[in-house]
Amino acid sequence: MDSVEAVRTGIEATYRERTGQSRALYQRALRSLPGGHTRSTTFYRPYPTFMERGAGCHLIDVDGNQYVDFLNNYTALVHGHAHPQITAAIARQAARGTGYAAPVEVQVVLADVITARVPSVEQVRFANSGTEGVLNALRAARAFTGRTKILKMEGGYHGTYDAVEVSVDPGPAGPPWPQGRPEGPGLSAGLTGEVLVAPFNRLTETAELIHRHRERLAAVIVEPMMGVAGMIPAEIVILE
């Protein structure tokens, strides 16, 4: 039986053989983009696959290879790629202009649809990314409560805002809760004084931490399913 390393080497050789244009584009990108990309979650070794187009549930790379897209831009494209009605709507709006630096009616229409469909959503603030949405939500929570601390789950990923870049992947020797660990260089060591960390799906310990720090806790942020940690769903637990 082949060793794991031999299998890995064979897979990589096949990948390199069928993605020559992606390799060339990556080498070109290294000259003008840090790390050769603009989104770290899309990078993998030896180099990422560069896509040329998408249609429905399929993606086609620059070498002509076709893939079934199970990622859907990290769930943002629930409608798939290049849906005819969506591309037609984009073309109509592009012909009328794109960025006005002013309010537009379609924002109100979309907000009305969302608030009507989701009873718990009373108002909507649109953002350009998940990171920006998290940043605004936590800042609003701190401003509203007058408190400074937030609580996140160990292994939870909420974008690249400093306050949530704590204990995303602390490893098996992570600090004891609620102590967190900054995820990488460039983050303030002071984050660990304002960001508490709790164990996911261990409601008793999490509730105790919330109770202990309730006087200074502005918000609790949690994923209903832990993505980066390995697609772990939240369990329903009733505390007695």
Side-chain angles (χ1 to χ4, degrees):
M1 180 179 296
D2 291 338
S3 67
V4 172
E5 181 60 26
V7 172
R8 188 200 67 78
T9 300
I11 291 174
E12 181 175 322
T14 300
Y15 176 74
R16 288 180 179 274
E17 182 179 348
R18 55 186 275 133
T19 56
Q21 290 299 317
S22 283
R23 180 172 64 253
L25 277 173
Y26 176 62
Q27 291 170 345
R28 174 184 169 188
L30 286 171
R31 298 197 298 266
S32 54
L33 298 172
H37 56 84
T38 60
R39 194 176 184 184
S40 58
T41 50
T42 64
F43 175 79
Y44 44 84
R45 298 186 184 282
Y47 50 84
T49 307
F50 281 68
M51 296 300 167
E52 181 180 83
R53 65 188 186 277
C57 65
H58 293 98
L59 288 171
I60 297 88
D61 69 16
V62 292
D63 288 279
N65 301 305
Q66 180 170 293
Y67 309 85
V68 176
D69 184 10
F70 291 101
L71 193 57
N72 295 314
N73 193 31
Y74 298 94
T75 73
L77 290 180
V78 294
H79 44 70
H81 300 279
H83 190 286
Q85 291 179 325
I86 294 175
T87 56
I90 292 172
R92 287 195 300 270
Q93 183 58 48
R96 302 170 63 183
T98 51
Y100 308 136
V104 292
E105 183 181 3
V106 291
Q107 292 174 320
V108 183
V109 172
L110 180 55
D112 286 343
V113 170
I114 294 173
T115 55
R117 290 186 179 184
V118 186
S120 62
V121 177
E122 298 177 356
Q123 292 186 318
V124 177
R125 179 76 175 207
F126 295 116
N128 293 312
S129 66
T131 293
E132 184 182 338
V134 167
L135 184 157
N136 289 334
L138 294 182
R139 183 173 294 175
R142 284 170 164 159
F144 180 78
T145 63
R147 303 168 186 168
T148 58
K149 291 182 181 290
I150 66 167
L151 178 74
K152 71 176 295 287
M153 303 299 121
E154 186 174 62
Y157 176 74
H158 304 284
T160 56
Y161 175 42
D162 282 10
V164 291
E165 281 278 86
V166 176
S167 292
V168 177
D169 183 15
W177 310 298
Q179 183 70 30
R181 175 177 294 166
E183 194 59 24
L187 296 174
S188 170
L191 286 174
T192 55
E194 294 190 347
V195 182
L196 308 176
V197 176
F200 188 62
N201 274 340
R202 290 173 61 173
L203 198 54
T204 300
E205 290 95 326
T206 301
E208 192 279 327
L209 288 173
I210 293 173
H211 181 76
R212 189 196 316 167
H213 296 274
R214 65 189 183 280
E215 298 298 330
R216 296 192 61 193
L217 193 60
V220 176
I221 184 167
V222 60
E223 296 173 278
M225 177 176 288
M226 300 271 272
V228 173
M231 303 306 293
I232 306 170
E235 297 175 359
I236 299 176
V237 178
I238 300 176
L239 293 176
E240 297 182 357

